Amino acid sequence: MNDFIVEKLKKEIEKFSQNAEVEKVGAVTKVADGICEIDGLERSMMSEMVVFSDKAGKTLAETLANPDAVFGLILNLEEGSVKAVILGDARKIREGMTVKSTGQVLSVPASEGFIGRVVNALGEPIDDAGSIKAKETRRIERIAYGVMDRSPVNTPLHTGLKAIDSMIPIGRGQRELIIGDRYTGKTTIAIDTILNQKNEPEAERPICIYVAIGQKASKTARIVNELKEKGAMDYTIVVSASSSEPAPMQFLAPFSGVAIAEYFMEKGKDVLIVYDDLSKQAVAYRQMSLVLRRPPGREAYPGDIFYLHSRLLERSAKLNKSLGGGSITALPIIETQEGDVSAYIPTNVISITDGQIFLNSDLFNKGLKPAIDVGISVSRVGSAAQTKAVKKVSGKIKLQLAQFRELEAFMQFSQDLDPETKASIEKGRRLVEVLKQKNGNPLGFEKQTVAIYAAINGMFDGVEVRNVVNAEEKLLSYIENQKKDIFDAIRKEKDLSKETEEKMKMAIADFKDTHGELFTIK
């Protein structure tokens, strides 16, 4: 570095240290669109909390005690002034108002008391169930854990969805993107995954956090109600920044969610966090950035929009044993327009995550739910985090589906098919039917193992295509009631032994004998 610059820096540092007790009080000089410019806070830092108050006390504590005080978050450090976003009612802020610096980076409270509650982006309860006691706080912004602090992702996180657990398995500590057009079932996959954690043993059950970003309040209320009805709120936290809230709150909500998640991860627990959805957070950040006069880039997003999502998603990790072995598994959701995954925000998030589940609107309209496009969807962790039982039975499933899709496309141009091709298409149709699942009905991995095994080995070949779903349900019900030891063995071993496989074959054969009316095709 230039010697002149070094000497100048030394003098500036010396001058700064002599004047360490600079008064941390400023005044609002301009306010508009939820953003205000403040003079007098020369010692402020990025992401610092400030307090606006008409009745500013002599001390910061007195100012914070004022019920009319409004918080702000510093996001621009400029020569002679700072710019902050207002985290509250912007109508209360006016020019000349006193602003006090807190000296603290924005933090949210965190404790076990958050489980089962609905909170806003600042960690304040909004479910009319009283206050939440919290002795600890977590910074909303922090550097993610480094490579040496992490361990490989090798423990499965079961979604309860056959199509995902068999072909696109997710591991604890992974970041798996759910991407697709509006109304293709993205949120449904995330909620079913939360509901499925009830099928896990209590000791292995992750804490679930659902972050609603820019969603309709009515949709969030419906989701909370569903989670309560099915007993999933016992291990779930909902962080909500609805579409009616200011852009800063929508921008902060995912960071607040992951800060609360880190509290549990650092205590050695597993956490599943859903960001629904990050495209709305990107829009909120773009809105804030344009008002803050940051230079716009592609599609008017600021240049650091990639960094916004990367520093959020990098905080998902599986820690090594010396740090407690906890994990955060992230399911970010991104909405596309007309299936365009090459747009700016989708490509950004695809490059940050460890795989994506792509939902196809054409498949959805055909009645295939979940509407997962197996050709584009991928898990970069893959079978390393797959339960052995599911792995054994689903090895051929992706190949068979791919062959079926090709043959199905070919069949549109040719009616004269040889018997072997016809048989392959018929088997593919039944396999597709088995992969269908009703909303809010996730299956434990032991039930998935039986269903997929039966489909792969042609056990449903004698069933009409339209009756396959019904036949599968009856098969699982039959084993649950008559041969429960099969499910118990798979659940206990998390593997499929030869002995259990033989029992399963016999159980399916018995089922076919007792339910002959389902097997009408000869």
Side-chain angles (χ1 to χ4, degrees):
M1 191 185 283
N2 186 302
D3 288 341
F4 170 74
I5 295 173
V6 171
E7 286 300 315
K8 193 171 180 184
L9 280 171
K10 282 182 180 176
K11 286 179 183 176
E12 285 295 322
I13 292 166
E14 189 177 339
K15 190 168 128 186
F16 187 82
S17 61
Q18 289 171 355
N19 192 26
E21 293 304 318
V22 176
E23 181 65 34
K24 292 190 175 182
V25 178
V28 176
T29 56
K30 195 184 293 182
V31 58
D33 299 315
I35 304 290
C36 66
E37 194 170 313
I38 305 165
D39 274 353
L41 295 182
E42 289 85 358
R43 295 282 303 280
S44 295
M45 54 187 168
M46 194 69 168
S47 294
E48 184 178 350
M49 290 170 71
V50 292
V51 187
F52 302 92
S53 182
D54 262 332
K55 300 172 184 175
K58 290 182 181 178
T59 65
L60 179 60
E62 288 176 17
T63 306
L64 292 172
N66 180 8
D68 292 328
V70 178
F71 285 103
L73 176 69
I74 293 175
L75 284 183
N76 267 28
L77 301 174
E78 298 173 1
E79 192 176 349
S81 68
V82 298
K83 282 182 181 172
V85 294
I86 301 160
L87 304 176
D89 190 353
R91 293 171 298 181
K92 292 182 180 178
I93 311 302
R94 54 177 180 73
E95 288 183 21
M97 197 173 195
T98 302
V99 187
K100 283 208 170 190
S101 170
T102 64
Q104 299 293 318
V105 171
L106 184 61
S107 303
V108 292
S111 77
E112 303 282 340
F114 275 78
I115 297 173
R117 301 298 300 273
V118 183
V119 298
N120 67 11
L122 299 176
E124 299 165 340
I126 54 174
D127 55 2
D128 297 326
S131 59
I132 301 172
K133 291 181 181 178
K135 292 182 180 177
E136 295 185 44
T137 60
R138 287 290 185 276
R139 288 185 172 188
I140 63 155
E141 291 270 20
R142 58 160 288 174
I143 297 172
Y145 282 97
V147 174
M148 299 309 292
D149 295 326
R150 302 176 183 234
S151 64
V153 175
N154 52 22
T155 309
L157 183 120
H158 299 116
T159 65
L161 300 170
K162 289 167 283 186
I164 295 175
D165 291 342
S166 61
M167 295 183 286
I168 319 152
I170 299 171
R172 298 191 182 202
Q174 189 175 342
R175 301 155 299 178
E176 184 77 9
L177 173 64
I178 302 171
I179 186 168
D181 286 0
R182 185 176 292 189
Y183 302 125
T184 50
K186 300 184 297 298
T187 302
T188 301
I189 285 179
I191 297 303
D192 282 356
T193 303
I194 293 174
L195 293 175
N196 186 59
Q197 303 318 305
K198 202 168 177 65
N199 293 326
E200 297 291 305
E202 199 167 337
E204 298 174 18
R205 187 179 298 158
I207 304 295
C208 298
I209 301 176
Y210 175 75
V211 185
I213 312 154
Q215 303 294 331
K216 290 183 288 188
S218 58
K219 178 186 174 183
T220 307
R222 178 174 52 78
I223 288 169
V224 171
N225 194 47
E226 183 183 356
L227 294 173
K228 279 181 180 173
E229 282 179 357
K230 297 189 176 175
M233 277 304 280
D234 295 342
Y235 52 85
T236 304
I237 302 163
V238 176
V239 181
S240 175
S242 69
S243 53
S244 62
E245 292 188 47
M249 299 295 268
Q250 295 180 37
F251 153 72
L252 284 176
F255 289 103
S256 298
V258 77
I260 296 168
E262 281 173 339
Y263 167 83
F264 292 103
M265 178 175 72
E266 287 163 5
K267 292 189 179 299
K269 296 183 180 179
D270 292 320
V271 184
L272 166 66
I273 186 164
V274 175
Y275 303 111
D276 189 9
D277 65 62
L278 290 188
S279 38
K280 288 187 175 66
Q281 188 206 19
V283 169
Y285 189 62
R286 174 173 64 184
Q287 181 183 328
M288 284 164 46
S289 298
L290 293 174
V291 177
L292 284 165
R293 304 277 182 189
R294 292 179 179 177
R298 181 173 158 187
E299 295 175 31
Y301 288 104
D304 65 339
I305 191 75
F306 178 90
Y307 180 49
L308 171 77
H309 287 150
S310 63
R311 72 179 188 265
L312 171 72
L313 293 170
E314 274 297 318
R315 289 163 74 173
S316 300
K318 181 175 171 59
L319 299 183
N320 59 37
K321 287 185 179 177
S322 64
L323 291 171
S327 70
I328 295 176
T329 309
L331 295 180
I333 295 174
I334 288 286
E335 186 179 293
T336 55
Q337 307 291 330
E338 296 293 325
D340 183 13
V341 293
S342 64
Y344 187 35
I345 299 302
T347 49
N348 274 354
V349 183
I350 285 170
S351 66
I352 297 163
T353 48
D354 307 310
Q356 69 274 349
I357 297 165
F358 181 73
L359 301 181
N360 188 310
S361 52
D362 291 338
L363 294 175
F364 185 85
N365 294 333
K366 285 178 184 176
L368 180 61
K369 299 171 188 178
I372 297 170
D373 188 325
V374 181
I376 301 177
S377 303
V378 65
S379 170
R380 295 188 186 101
V381 173
S383 58
Q386 196 171 22
T387 305
K388 286 182 181 177
V390 180
K391 187 177 179 179
K392 277 186 179 177
V393 300
S394 62
K396 302 174 185 175
I397 196 167
K398 214 165 184 178
L399 179 63
Q400 286 192 11
L401 268 180
Q403 288 174 340
F404 166 66
R405 295 286 180 217
E406 279 191 29
L407 290 171
E408 192 181 35
F410 172 73
M411 192 175 68
Q412 294 175 354
F413 305 102
S414 175
Q415 295 300 318
D416 188 21
L417 299 173
D418 62 274
E420 193 177 327
T421 305
K422 276 184 181 177
S424 185
I425 288 171
E426 288 301 315
K427 190 172 182 178
R429 281 176 175 162
R430 284 160 181 78
L431 186 57
V432 167
E433 289 297 309
V434 167
L435 292 177
K436 285 182 180 179
Q437 235 166 305
K438 292 176 183 175
N439 293 354
N441 186 35
L443 290 177
F445 72 89
E446 68 281 359
K447 292 183 178 179
Q448 293 183 41
T449 303
V450 172
I452 293 167
Y453 180 87
I456 288 290
N457 290 285
M459 309 286 187
F460 294 123
D461 286 359
V463 182
E464 287 278 0
V465 173
R466 65 176 182 273
N467 291 331
V468 168
V469 173
N470 183 34
E472 181 210 346
E473 287 175 2
K474 286 188 174 178
L475 170 63
L476 296 178
S477 179
Y478 172 78
I479 294 176
E480 179 76 41
N481 296 321
Q482 307 290 330
K483 314 278 184 179
K484 197 169 185 295
D485 57 314
I486 295 172
F487 285 155
D488 292 339
I490 296 171
R491 197 182 299 119
K492 185 180 176 182
E493 298 164 8
K494 295 187 178 178
D495 202 345
L496 187 62
S497 63
K498 286 187 177 179
E499 185 186 341
T500 307
E501 187 177 352
E502 285 303 317
K503 283 184 180 179
M504 194 160 64
K505 279 182 183 176
M506 289 172 65
I508 294 170
D510 290 346
F511 172 77
K512 290 176 86 167
D513 291 340
T514 55
H515 292 75
E517 74 281 358
L518 291 170
F519 299 85
T520 55
I521 300 174
K522 303 297 181 188

